Amino acid sequence: MSATDTQPKTIFLKDYQVPDFLIERTELHFELFEDYSRVKAELNIRRNPASADQSAALVLHGVELKLLSVAVDGQRLSSDDYNVDAEGLSIVNVGEHFTLNTEVEINPQDNTSLEGLYKSRTMFCTQCEAEGFRKITYYLDRPDVMSEFTTTVVADKATYPVLLSNGNPIERKDLDGGRHLATWHDPFMKPAYLFALVAGTLESVDDTFTTISGREISLQIFVEAKDLDKCDHAMLSLKKSMTWDEEVYGREYDLDIFMIVAVDDFNMGAMENKGLNIFNTSCVLANPNTTTDMGFQRVEAVVAHEYFHNWSGNRVTCRDWFQLSLKEGFTV
């Protein structure tokens, strides 16, 4: 490999092209273990009528994945039917509308990039902005491909009693061998960078918010038990933000539940994942005995910022990453 092969590639806005394929529905199934995890993905894919090449091969992003199986419309493919390299998976012979099933193995406990799914101390967590989802499964990991996600997470119940993802919870049940599962469904189309998963031992501070149309929204802030006494200001800030967005912009929250996870392990300040905002504790926790006035103001500003992203960034998102300043600037 030459030195030029290892250098970052320059991307120009003028070279933007619409995706050749769109993913209408995404179903993910995670099996979390201590030394590895397995991810099954079922993608309902169709060709993009706006693409200039209606015979293009399907090319999915994928990095640091161990591919276990590939199937198209229920037919398992042999290694001659697809190509896998360090950047992704490509399949030449696909139709106009089809279902792709893949299974991969990943190693979150060894993922020191803190992109995609990683394990830090006793918790699994994700960070997918900007291009981290490709470290979870093979996918069209770009912001102009939006999909309806259903996510099932399976893990040991004693070690990971809390299993969270985007959207509304639709199923929770115990399984054999001390394991359990939780399934979440997000009915609103979103790009992969807004995907989130959290599994660990967390406690929650709970409240509700009644929207302008009379819907009652469950509010939860998940933290480690040691931090339960530092969440009141963040919860108040969240409710004030929801009220402000309704009064100023007429934007009512659109899911049944809104969650914040605040943990020491998160590698950024905060992230606006749809319905499941993940924060570093420095941006959420506040207590009059230990927090300055500036600290209280920062918590209010960050909680509000990430909540406002529900519309300016999540429901209305980027076409490409050159538009990052638009979603961030307007939300600020």
Side-chain angles (χ1 to χ4, degrees), residues 308-325:
F308 296 149
H309 264 310
N310 184 63
W311 287 96
S312 59
N314 294 5
R315 289 295 297 275
V316 180
T317 195
C318 305
R319 187 197 73 169
D320 55 69
W321 288 114
F322 290 94
Q323 295 183 348
L324 175 68
S325 59

Side-chain angles (χ1 to χ4, degrees), residues 82-290:
Y82 59 86
N83 181 67
V84 176
D85 59 26
E87 298 296 324
L89 166 69
S90 59
I91 307 173
V92 175
N93 297 315
V94 293
E96 298 297 313
H97 201 156
F98 56 94
T99 299
L100 177 71
N101 289 86
T102 60
E103 182 175 3
V104 302
E105 186 173 297
I106 57 178
N107 300 97
Q109 71 282 358
D110 298 327
N111 182 6
T112 56
S113 72
L114 305 184
E115 295 177 325
L117 176 65
Y118 62 91
K119 188 178 181 190
S120 182
R121 292 191 298 132
T122 61
M123 195 177 94
F124 288 93
C125 189
T126 56
Q127 169 56 32
C128 295
E129 188 182 28
E131 296 180 339
F133 192 80
R134 63 191 63 192
K135 291 191 174 184
I136 293 175
T137 191
Y138 289 103
Y139 206 79
L140 292 173
D141 189 10
R142 46 189 290 174
D144 56 353
V145 175
M146 301 175 72
S147 183
E148 178 184 338
F149 279 72
T150 302
T151 304
T152 297
V153 187
V154 181
D156 181 79
K157 186 173 184 179
T159 310
Y160 309 101
V162 175
L163 305 175
L164 305 176
S165 192
N166 310 87
N168 299 316
I170 59 175
E171 183 181 23
R172 291 187 178 95
K173 68 178 181 181
D174 294 334
L175 304 173
D176 295 338
R179 294 174 69 77
H180 70 140
L181 71 74
T183 300
W184 296 79
H185 174 238
D186 184 356
F188 300 107
M189 306 281 275
K190 68 171 178 288
Y193 84 87
L194 291 170
F195 174 80
L197 182 156
V198 171
T201 301
L202 299 167
E203 304 288 338
S204 67
V205 174
D206 301 350
D207 206 333
T208 61
F209 178 82
T210 302
T211 70
I212 197 169
S213 68
R215 294 171 52 241
E216 185 171 274
I217 309 300
S218 296
L219 307 178
Q220 292 185 291
I221 299 178
F222 289 90
V223 294
E224 295 180 56
K226 64 182 176 64
D227 295 324
L228 279 171
D229 63 338
K230 306 180 185 71
C231 298
D232 290 348
H233 180 62
M235 183 65 80
L236 177 62
S237 299
L238 174 60
K239 296 172 76 172
K240 288 171 62 178
S241 303
M242 298 176 81
T243 299
W244 190 89
D245 220 16
E246 289 183 344
E247 292 178 346
V248 176
Y249 285 110
R251 295 294 85 192
E252 181 177 322
Y253 185 63
D254 48 4
L255 292 169
D256 299 330
I257 184 171
F258 185 87
M259 298 169 289
I260 292 174
V261 176
V263 291
D264 296 332
D265 305 304
F266 193 54
N267 64 316
M268 298 179 69
M271 179 62 203
E272 70 266 20
N273 317 292
K274 178 68 179 179
L276 178 59
N277 289 183
I278 304 179
F279 284 65
N280 187 279
T281 47
S282 64
C283 299
V284 170
L285 305 182
N287 185 294
N289 295 323
T290 56

